[in-house]
Amino acid sequence: GDLRLADAMEVPASILAKEAARDALKDMSVLLFDDAKMKERFPTAVYKRFREAVSLGKPTSEEDQKVIASCMFAWAREQGA
């Protein structure tokens, strides 16, 4: 059969898959609830107690856990979750 220009210009599926994977990896780190977000969103005292608990390997209080969960949930909802 004749080779048509449209056939010759088709992008192989393997190349498209690699491009999609690259885009997904690039987008994955865009919305992170990182330390900067915690500092911005948690009440100052909760943030300080949380950082101290993490550095010492100790649990946070139940009250602080509720505040942290609420802040994280609100942030996630704002991101469309």
Short mmCIF file of all heavy atoms in Angstrom, two decimals, residues 2-67:
data_model
loop_
_atom_site.label_atom_id
_atom_site.label_comp_id
_atom_site.label_asym_id
_atom_site.label_seq_id
_atom_site.Cartn_x
_atom_site.Cartn_y
_atom_site.Cartn_z
N ASP A 2 0.19 2.30 -0.29
CA ASP A 2 0.84 3.61 -0.31
C ASP A 2 1.05 4.11 1.11
O ASP A 2 0.18 3.95 1.97
CB ASP A 2 -0.01 4.62 -1.08
CG ASP A 2 -0.11 4.29 -2.55
OD1 ASP A 2 0.86 3.73 -3.10
OD2 ASP A 2 -1.16 4.60 -3.13
N LEU A 3 2.17 4.74 1.36
CA LEU A 3 2.44 5.36 2.65
C LEU A 3 1.87 6.77 2.61
O LEU A 3 2.25 7.58 1.79
CB LEU A 3 3.96 5.42 2.91
CG LEU A 3 4.38 6.06 4.22
CD1 LEU A 3 3.83 5.23 5.39
CD2 LEU A 3 5.88 6.14 4.31
N ARG A 4 0.93 7.01 3.46
CA ARG A 4 0.31 8.34 3.50
C ARG A 4 1.07 9.20 4.49
O ARG A 4 1.65 8.71 5.45
CB ARG A 4 -1.15 8.22 3.95
CG ARG A 4 -2.00 7.44 2.99
CD ARG A 4 -3.43 7.36 3.47
NE ARG A 4 -3.50 7.47 4.94
CZ ARG A 4 -4.55 7.16 5.66
NH1 ARG A 4 -5.63 6.73 5.08
NH2 ARG A 4 -4.55 7.27 6.96
N LEU A 5 1.08 10.49 4.25
CA LEU A 5 1.76 11.43 5.12
C LEU A 5 1.22 11.33 6.55
O LEU A 5 1.98 11.35 7.51
CB LEU A 5 1.63 12.87 4.59
CG LEU A 5 2.33 13.95 5.39
CD1 LEU A 5 3.82 13.65 5.48
CD2 LEU A 5 2.09 15.31 4.78
N ALA A 6 -0.08 11.18 6.70
CA ALA A 6 -0.68 11.08 8.04
C ALA A 6 -0.14 9.88 8.79
O ALA A 6 0.12 9.94 9.99
CB ALA A 6 -2.20 11.00 7.92
N ASP A 7 0.05 8.74 8.08
CA ASP A 7 0.59 7.55 8.72
C ASP A 7 2.04 7.77 9.14
O ASP A 7 2.47 7.33 10.20
CB ASP A 7 0.52 6.35 7.78
CG ASP A 7 -0.92 5.93 7.50
OD1 ASP A 7 -1.79 6.18 8.35
OD2 ASP A 7 -1.15 5.36 6.41
N ALA A 8 2.79 8.44 8.30
CA ALA A 8 4.21 8.67 8.58
C ALA A 8 4.40 9.63 9.75
O ALA A 8 5.41 9.58 10.44
CB ALA A 8 4.91 9.22 7.33
N MET A 9 3.42 10.49 9.99
CA MET A 9 3.55 11.49 11.04
C MET A 9 2.95 11.05 12.37
O MET A 9 3.03 11.76 13.34
CB MET A 9 2.92 12.81 10.59
CG MET A 9 3.67 13.42 9.41
SD MET A 9 3.06 15.03 8.99
CE MET A 9 3.57 15.98 10.40
N GLU A 10 2.34 9.87 12.41
CA GLU A 10 1.78 9.39 13.67
C GLU A 10 2.88 9.17 14.69
O GLU A 10 3.94 8.67 14.38
CB GLU A 10 1.03 8.07 13.46
CG GLU A 10 -0.39 8.27 13.08
CD GLU A 10 -1.16 6.96 13.08
OE1 GLU A 10 -0.99 6.16 14.01
OE2 GLU A 10 -1.90 6.75 12.12
N VAL A 11 2.61 9.55 15.92
CA VAL A 11 3.57 9.37 17.00
C VAL A 11 3.32 8.01 17.63
O VAL A 11 2.19 7.70 18.00
CB VAL A 11 3.43 10.49 18.05
CG1 VAL A 11 4.40 10.29 19.19
CG2 VAL A 11 3.60 11.85 17.40
N PRO A 12 4.37 7.18 17.72
CA PRO A 12 4.19 5.85 18.34
C PRO A 12 3.66 5.96 19.77
O PRO A 12 3.98 6.90 20.51
CB PRO A 12 5.60 5.26 18.33
CG PRO A 12 6.34 6.02 17.29
CD PRO A 12 5.72 7.40 17.27
N ALA A 13 2.84 5.00 20.16
CA ALA A 13 2.23 4.98 21.49
C ALA A 13 3.28 4.99 22.59
O ALA A 13 3.09 5.60 23.65
CB ALA A 13 1.32 3.78 21.64
N SER A 14 4.42 4.33 22.36
CA SER A 14 5.47 4.29 23.40
C SER A 14 6.02 5.68 23.69
O SER A 14 6.31 6.01 24.84
CB SER A 14 6.60 3.35 22.98
OG SER A 14 7.21 3.82 21.78
N ILE A 15 6.12 6.51 22.67
CA ILE A 15 6.61 7.88 22.87
C ILE A 15 5.55 8.69 23.61
O ILE A 15 5.86 9.45 24.53
CB ILE A 15 6.99 8.54 21.53
CG1 ILE A 15 8.21 7.85 20.95
CG2 ILE A 15 7.24 10.04 21.71
CD1 ILE A 15 8.61 8.31 19.57
N LEU A 16 4.29 8.52 23.23
CA LEU A 16 3.21 9.23 23.93
C LEU A 16 3.15 8.84 25.39
O LEU A 16 2.95 9.68 26.27
CB LEU A 16 1.87 8.96 23.25
CG LEU A 16 1.68 9.55 21.86
CD1 LEU A 16 0.35 9.10 21.28
CD2 LEU A 16 1.76 11.07 21.90
N ALA A 17 3.34 7.55 25.69
CA ALA A 17 3.31 7.07 27.07
C ALA A 17 4.45 7.69 27.88
O ALA A 17 4.26 8.09 29.03
CB ALA A 17 3.39 5.55 27.12
N LYS A 18 5.63 7.79 27.29
CA LYS A 18 6.77 8.39 27.99
C LYS A 18 6.51 9.86 28.28
O LYS A 18 6.83 10.36 29.35
CB LYS A 18 8.05 8.24 27.17
CG LYS A 18 8.60 6.84 27.15
CD LYS A 18 9.84 6.75 26.29
CE LYS A 18 10.30 5.31 26.17
NZ LYS A 18 11.40 5.16 25.23
N GLU A 19 5.91 10.57 27.32
CA GLU A 19 5.59 11.98 27.53
C GLU A 19 4.55 12.14 28.64
O GLU A 19 4.67 13.02 29.48
CB GLU A 19 5.08 12.61 26.23
CG GLU A 19 6.14 12.81 25.18
CD GLU A 19 7.26 13.73 25.64
OE1 GLU A 19 6.98 14.76 26.28
OE2 GLU A 19 8.42 13.40 25.38
N ALA A 20 3.54 11.28 28.65
CA ALA A 20 2.51 11.34 29.69
C ALA A 20 3.11 11.08 31.06
O ALA A 20 2.77 11.75 32.04
CB ALA A 20 1.40 10.34 29.39
N ALA A 21 4.02 10.12 31.14
CA ALA A 21 4.68 9.81 32.42
C ALA A 21 5.51 10.99 32.88
O ALA A 21 5.51 11.34 34.06
CB ALA A 21 5.55 8.57 32.28
N ARG A 22 6.22 11.62 31.97
CA ARG A 22 7.03 12.79 32.32
C ARG A 22 6.15 13.91 32.85
O ARG A 22 6.46 14.55 33.83
CB ARG A 22 7.80 13.27 31.07
CG ARG A 22 9.25 13.48 31.35
CD ARG A 22 10.01 13.94 30.13
NE ARG A 22 10.62 12.77 29.50
CZ ARG A 22 10.51 12.46 28.23
NH1 ARG A 22 9.81 13.21 27.41
NH2 ARG A 22 11.09 11.41 27.74
N ASP A 23 5.00 14.16 32.20
CA ASP A 23 4.09 15.19 32.65
C ASP A 23 3.54 14.87 34.04
O ASP A 23 3.42 15.74 34.89
CB ASP A 23 2.93 15.36 31.67
CG ASP A 23 3.36 16.02 30.37
OD1 ASP A 23 4.46 16.62 30.33
OD2 ASP A 23 2.60 15.93 29.40
N ALA A 24 3.19 13.60 34.27
CA ALA A 24 2.66 13.20 35.57
C ALA A 24 3.70 13.41 36.67
O ALA A 24 3.38 13.90 37.75
CB ALA A 24 2.21 11.75 35.53
N LEU A 25 4.94 13.06 36.40
CA LEU A 25 6.00 13.25 37.40
C LEU A 25 6.23 14.73 37.68
O LEU A 25 6.44 15.13 38.81
CB LEU A 25 7.30 12.59 36.93
CG LEU A 25 7.28 11.07 36.93
CD1 LEU A 25 8.57 10.54 36.30
CD2 LEU A 25 7.11 10.53 38.33
N LYS A 26 6.17 15.53 36.64
CA LYS A 26 6.35 16.97 36.82
C LYS A 26 5.22 17.55 37.67
O LYS A 26 5.44 18.37 38.54
CB LYS A 26 6.38 17.66 35.45
CG LYS A 26 6.67 19.15 35.52
CD LYS A 26 6.67 19.77 34.14
CE LYS A 26 5.24 20.09 33.80
NZ LYS A 26 5.01 20.69 32.52
N ASP A 27 4.00 17.09 37.43
CA ASP A 27 2.84 17.60 38.14
C ASP A 27 2.72 17.07 39.56
O ASP A 27 2.08 17.69 40.40
CB ASP A 27 1.56 17.27 37.38
CG ASP A 27 1.47 18.00 36.06
OD1 ASP A 27 2.19 19.01 35.88
OD2 ASP A 27 0.69 17.57 35.20
N MET A 28 3.33 15.93 39.85
CA MET A 28 3.18 15.32 41.17
C MET A 28 3.70 16.20 42.29
O MET A 28 3.13 16.22 43.36
CB MET A 28 3.91 13.97 41.23
CG MET A 28 3.14 12.85 40.58
SD MET A 28 4.03 11.31 40.59
CE MET A 28 4.30 11.01 42.31
N SER A 29 4.75 16.92 42.07
CA SER A 29 5.35 17.69 43.15
C SER A 29 4.85 19.12 43.22
O SER A 29 5.36 19.92 43.98
CB SER A 29 6.87 17.68 43.01
OG SER A 29 7.24 18.29 41.79
N VAL A 30 3.83 19.44 42.46
CA VAL A 30 3.32 20.80 42.45
C VAL A 30 2.50 21.11 43.71
O VAL A 30 2.64 22.16 44.30
CB VAL A 30 2.48 21.06 41.18
CG1 VAL A 30 1.80 22.41 41.23
CG2 VAL A 30 3.36 20.95 39.95
N LEU A 31 1.67 20.18 44.11
CA LEU A 31 0.79 20.40 45.25
C LEU A 31 1.23 19.54 46.42
O LEU A 31 0.77 18.42 46.60
CB LEU A 31 -0.66 20.08 44.88
CG LEU A 31 -1.25 20.92 43.76
CD1 LEU A 31 -2.64 20.43 43.39
CD2 LEU A 31 -1.29 22.39 44.14
N LEU A 32 2.14 20.06 47.22
CA LEU A 32 2.64 19.34 48.38
C LEU A 32 2.29 20.10 49.65
O LEU A 32 2.46 21.31 49.72
CB LEU A 32 4.15 19.19 48.32
CG LEU A 32 4.72 18.30 47.23
CD1 LEU A 32 6.24 18.33 47.28
CD2 LEU A 32 4.23 16.89 47.39
N PHE A 33 1.82 19.37 50.64
CA PHE A 33 1.59 19.99 51.95
C PHE A 33 2.90 19.84 52.71
O PHE A 33 3.08 18.94 53.52
CB PHE A 33 0.42 19.31 52.68
CG PHE A 33 -0.07 20.12 53.83
CD1 PHE A 33 -0.95 21.16 53.63
CD2 PHE A 33 0.36 19.85 55.11
CE1 PHE A 33 -1.40 21.93 54.70
CE2 PHE A 33 -0.08 20.60 56.19
CZ PHE A 33 -0.97 21.64 55.98
N ASP A 34 3.83 20.71 52.39
CA ASP A 34 5.18 20.61 52.93
C ASP A 34 5.33 21.48 54.18
O ASP A 34 4.36 22.04 54.70
CB ASP A 34 6.21 20.99 51.87
CG ASP A 34 5.99 22.39 51.30
OD1 ASP A 34 5.15 23.15 51.83
OD2 ASP A 34 6.66 22.72 50.31
N ASP A 35 6.57 21.59 54.66
CA ASP A 35 6.82 22.35 55.88
C ASP A 35 6.39 23.81 55.75
O ASP A 35 5.84 24.38 56.68
CB ASP A 35 8.31 22.26 56.25
CG ASP A 35 8.56 22.79 57.65
OD1 ASP A 35 8.09 22.16 58.61
OD2 ASP A 35 9.20 23.85 57.76
N ALA A 36 6.61 24.39 54.58
CA ALA A 36 6.21 25.79 54.38
C ALA A 36 4.69 25.95 54.50
O ALA A 36 4.20 26.91 55.10
CB ALA A 36 6.69 26.29 53.01
N LYS A 37 3.95 24.98 53.95
CA LYS A 37 2.48 25.03 54.05
C LYS A 37 2.04 24.83 55.50
O LYS A 37 1.11 25.48 55.96
CB LYS A 37 1.85 23.96 53.17
CG LYS A 37 2.00 24.21 51.71
CD LYS A 37 1.00 25.23 51.23
CE LYS A 37 0.99 25.35 49.73
NZ LYS A 37 2.06 26.14 49.17
N MET A 38 2.72 23.91 56.21
CA MET A 38 2.37 23.70 57.62
C MET A 38 2.57 24.98 58.41
O MET A 38 1.70 25.39 59.19
CB MET A 38 3.24 22.59 58.22
CG MET A 38 2.92 21.22 57.74
SD MET A 38 3.96 20.01 58.59
CE MET A 38 4.46 19.02 57.22
N LYS A 39 3.72 25.60 58.22
CA LYS A 39 4.04 26.82 58.96
C LYS A 39 3.02 27.91 58.65
O LYS A 39 2.62 28.68 59.53
CB LYS A 39 5.45 27.29 58.60
CG LYS A 39 5.98 28.34 59.52
CD LYS A 39 7.45 28.58 59.27
CE LYS A 39 8.00 29.50 60.34
NZ LYS A 39 9.44 29.67 60.21
N GLU A 40 2.59 27.97 57.41
CA GLU A 40 1.61 28.97 56.98
C GLU A 40 0.21 28.69 57.54
O GLU A 40 -0.51 29.61 57.90
CB GLU A 40 1.58 28.95 55.45
CG GLU A 40 0.53 29.79 54.79
CD GLU A 40 0.51 29.54 53.29
OE1 GLU A 40 1.59 29.47 52.66
OE2 GLU A 40 -0.60 29.37 52.75
N ARG A 41 -0.16 27.42 57.65
CA ARG A 41 -1.53 27.05 57.96
C ARG A 41 -1.79 26.68 59.42
O ARG A 41 -2.90 26.87 59.90
CB ARG A 41 -1.95 25.90 57.07
CG ARG A 41 -1.92 26.34 55.61
CD ARG A 41 -2.96 25.58 54.89
NE ARG A 41 -3.25 26.18 53.62
CZ ARG A 41 -4.44 26.56 53.23
NH1 ARG A 41 -5.47 26.42 54.01
NH2 ARG A 41 -4.63 27.07 52.04
N PHE A 42 -0.81 26.09 60.09
CA PHE A 42 -1.01 25.69 61.48
C PHE A 42 -0.90 26.91 62.38
O PHE A 42 -0.10 27.81 62.12
CB PHE A 42 0.05 24.68 61.93
CG PHE A 42 0.03 23.35 61.24
CD1 PHE A 42 1.04 22.44 61.50
CD2 PHE A 42 -0.96 22.98 60.35
CE1 PHE A 42 1.06 21.20 60.88
CE2 PHE A 42 -0.96 21.75 59.72
CZ PHE A 42 0.06 20.86 59.99
N PRO A 43 -1.65 26.93 63.48
CA PRO A 43 -1.40 27.95 64.49
C PRO A 43 0.07 27.82 64.95
O PRO A 43 0.61 26.71 64.99
CB PRO A 43 -2.36 27.59 65.63
CG PRO A 43 -3.45 26.79 64.97
CD PRO A 43 -2.77 26.05 63.85
N THR A 44 0.71 28.94 65.25
CA THR A 44 2.13 28.94 65.58
C THR A 44 2.49 27.93 66.66
O THR A 44 3.46 27.18 66.51
CB THR A 44 2.57 30.37 66.01
OG1 THR A 44 2.25 31.26 64.94
CG2 THR A 44 4.05 30.42 66.29
N ALA A 45 1.72 27.89 67.74
CA ALA A 45 2.03 26.97 68.84
C ALA A 45 1.93 25.51 68.39
O ALA A 45 2.75 24.68 68.76
CB ALA A 45 1.11 27.23 70.03
N VAL A 46 0.93 25.20 67.58
CA VAL A 46 0.75 23.83 67.09
C VAL A 46 1.92 23.47 66.17
O VAL A 46 2.48 22.37 66.27
CB VAL A 46 -0.59 23.68 66.34
CG1 VAL A 46 -0.70 22.31 65.66
CG2 VAL A 46 -1.75 23.88 67.30
N TYR A 47 2.31 24.38 65.30
CA TYR A 47 3.44 24.13 64.41
C TYR A 47 4.71 23.84 65.21
O TYR A 47 5.42 22.86 64.94
CB TYR A 47 3.67 25.31 63.47
CG TYR A 47 4.90 25.15 62.62
CD1 TYR A 47 4.89 24.34 61.49
CD2 TYR A 47 6.09 25.79 62.96
CE1 TYR A 47 6.02 24.17 60.72
CE2 TYR A 47 7.23 25.62 62.19
CZ TYR A 47 7.19 24.81 61.07
OH TYR A 47 8.33 24.64 60.32
N LYS A 48 4.99 24.64 66.22
CA LYS A 48 6.19 24.45 67.04
C LYS A 48 6.16 23.11 67.77
O LYS A 48 7.15 22.39 67.81
CB LYS A 48 6.36 25.61 68.03
CG LYS A 48 6.80 26.89 67.37
CD LYS A 48 6.95 28.01 68.37
CE LYS A 48 7.39 29.28 67.68
NZ LYS A 48 7.54 30.40 68.60
N ARG A 49 5.00 22.78 68.35
CA ARG A 49 4.89 21.50 69.06
C ARG A 49 5.02 20.32 68.09
O ARG A 49 5.66 19.31 68.41
CB ARG A 49 3.56 21.41 69.83
CG ARG A 49 3.52 22.30 71.06
CD ARG A 49 2.32 21.99 71.94
NE ARG A 49 1.04 22.19 71.28
CZ ARG A 49 0.32 23.32 71.34
NH1 ARG A 49 0.77 24.36 72.04
NH2 ARG A 49 -0.84 23.40 70.73
N PHE A 50 4.45 20.46 66.91
CA PHE A 50 4.54 19.40 65.91
C PHE A 50 5.99 19.18 65.49
O PHE A 50 6.47 18.06 65.45
CB PHE A 50 3.68 19.74 64.69
CG PHE A 50 3.84 18.76 63.57
CD1 PHE A 50 3.27 17.49 63.65
CD2 PHE A 50 4.56 19.09 62.44
CE1 PHE A 50 3.43 16.58 62.61
CE2 PHE A 50 4.72 18.19 61.40
CZ PHE A 50 4.16 16.92 61.48
N ARG A 51 6.71 20.26 65.17
CA ARG A 51 8.11 20.15 64.74
C ARG A 51 8.97 19.53 65.86
O ARG A 51 9.85 18.72 65.61
CB ARG A 51 8.67 21.51 64.34
CG ARG A 51 8.02 22.12 63.11
CD ARG A 51 8.17 21.28 61.86
NE ARG A 51 9.58 21.05 61.59
CZ ARG A 51 10.06 20.06 60.87
NH1 ARG A 51 9.25 19.19 60.32
NH2 ARG A 51 11.34 19.92 60.69
N GLU A 52 8.69 19.93 67.10
CA GLU A 52 9.43 19.37 68.23
C GLU A 52 9.15 17.88 68.37
O GLU A 52 10.07 17.08 68.58
CB GLU A 52 9.05 20.11 69.53
CG GLU A 52 9.82 19.62 70.73
CD GLU A 52 9.47 20.37 72.00
OE1 GLU A 52 8.88 21.46 71.91
OE2 GLU A 52 9.79 19.86 73.07
N ALA A 53 7.88 17.49 68.25
CA ALA A 53 7.51 16.07 68.36
C ALA A 53 8.19 15.26 67.26
O ALA A 53 8.71 14.17 67.52
CB ALA A 53 5.99 15.91 68.28
N VAL A 54 8.23 15.79 66.04
CA VAL A 54 8.87 15.08 64.94
C VAL A 54 10.36 14.93 65.20
O VAL A 54 10.93 13.85 65.04
CB VAL A 54 8.63 15.83 63.60
CG1 VAL A 54 9.52 15.28 62.49
CG2 VAL A 54 7.17 15.74 63.20
N SER A 55 11.00 16.00 65.65
CA SER A 55 12.46 15.93 65.87
C SER A 55 12.82 15.00 67.02
O SER A 55 13.89 14.39 67.01
CB SER A 55 13.04 17.32 66.10
OG SER A 55 12.59 17.86 67.31
N LEU A 56 11.93 14.87 67.99
CA LEU A 56 12.19 13.99 69.14
C LEU A 56 11.62 12.58 68.94
O LEU A 56 11.85 11.70 69.77
CB LEU A 56 11.61 14.60 70.41
CG LEU A 56 12.20 15.95 70.84
CD1 LEU A 56 11.43 16.50 72.04
CD2 LEU A 56 13.67 15.80 71.16
N GLY A 57 10.85 12.40 67.88
CA GLY A 57 10.24 11.10 67.63
C GLY A 57 9.11 10.78 68.59
O GLY A 57 8.85 9.62 68.90
N LYS A 58 8.45 11.81 69.07
CA LYS A 58 7.36 11.63 70.03
C LYS A 58 6.02 11.92 69.35
O LYS A 58 5.97 12.65 68.37
CB LYS A 58 7.54 12.56 71.22
CG LYS A 58 8.77 12.23 72.03
CD LYS A 58 8.83 13.06 73.28
CE LYS A 58 10.03 12.61 74.12
NZ LYS A 58 10.04 13.24 75.43
N PRO A 59 4.93 11.37 69.87
CA PRO A 59 3.62 11.65 69.27
C PRO A 59 3.14 13.06 69.61
O PRO A 59 3.57 13.66 70.60
CB PRO A 59 2.70 10.60 69.92
CG PRO A 59 3.38 10.26 71.21
CD PRO A 59 4.86 10.42 70.97
N THR A 60 2.25 13.57 68.78
CA THR A 60 1.63 14.86 69.06
C THR A 60 0.38 14.61 69.91
O THR A 60 -0.14 13.49 69.94
CB THR A 60 1.22 15.58 67.76
OG1 THR A 60 0.36 14.72 67.03
CG2 THR A 60 2.42 15.94 66.91
N SER A 61 -0.08 15.63 70.58
CA SER A 61 -1.28 15.48 71.40
C SER A 61 -2.49 15.25 70.49
O SER A 61 -2.50 15.62 69.31
CB SER A 61 -1.50 16.73 72.25
OG SER A 61 -1.92 17.81 71.43
N GLU A 62 -3.52 14.66 71.06
CA GLU A 62 -4.75 14.42 70.30
C GLU A 62 -5.36 15.74 69.83
O GLU A 62 -5.86 15.84 68.72
CB GLU A 62 -5.75 13.63 71.14
CG GLU A 62 -6.94 13.16 70.33
CD GLU A 62 -7.85 12.23 71.11
OE1 GLU A 62 -7.34 11.45 71.92
OE2 GLU A 62 -9.06 12.29 70.87
N GLU A 63 -5.29 16.75 70.68
CA GLU A 63 -5.82 18.07 70.32
C GLU A 63 -5.08 18.64 69.11
O GLU A 63 -5.69 19.12 68.16
CB GLU A 63 -5.70 19.02 71.51
CG GLU A 63 -6.29 20.40 71.25
CD GLU A 63 -6.16 21.32 72.47
OE1 GLU A 63 -6.37 20.83 73.60
OE2 GLU A 63 -5.84 22.49 72.26
N ASP A 64 -3.74 18.55 69.14
CA ASP A 64 -2.94 19.04 68.01
C ASP A 64 -3.20 18.21 66.75
O ASP A 64 -3.25 18.75 65.64
CB ASP A 64 -1.44 19.05 68.33
CG ASP A 64 -1.04 20.20 69.23
OD1 ASP A 64 -1.89 21.09 69.51
OD2 ASP A 64 0.13 20.23 69.65
N GLN A 65 -3.38 16.91 66.91
CA GLN A 65 -3.68 16.05 65.77
C GLN A 65 -4.95 16.50 65.06
O GLN A 65 -5.02 16.51 63.83
CB GLN A 65 -3.81 14.60 66.20
CG GLN A 65 -2.51 13.96 66.63
CD GLN A 65 -2.71 12.57 67.19
OE1 GLN A 65 -3.73 11.92 66.95
NE2 GLN A 65 -1.74 12.09 67.96
N LYS A 66 -5.94 16.88 65.84
CA LYS A 66 -7.22 17.33 65.26
C LYS A 66 -7.03 18.65 64.51
O LYS A 66 -7.58 18.83 63.42
CB LYS A 66 -8.28 17.48 66.35
CG LYS A 66 -8.75 16.15 66.88
CD LYS A 66 -9.76 16.32 68.00
CE LYS A 66 -10.18 14.96 68.54
NZ LYS A 66 -11.11 15.08 69.66
N VAL A 67 -6.25 19.56 65.06
CA VAL A 67 -5.98 20.84 64.40
C VAL A 67 -5.21 20.59 63.10
O VAL A 67 -5.54 21.16 62.05
CB VAL A 67 -5.19 21.80 65.33
CG1 VAL A 67 -4.73 23.03 64.58
CG2 VAL A 67 -6.03 22.17 66.54
#
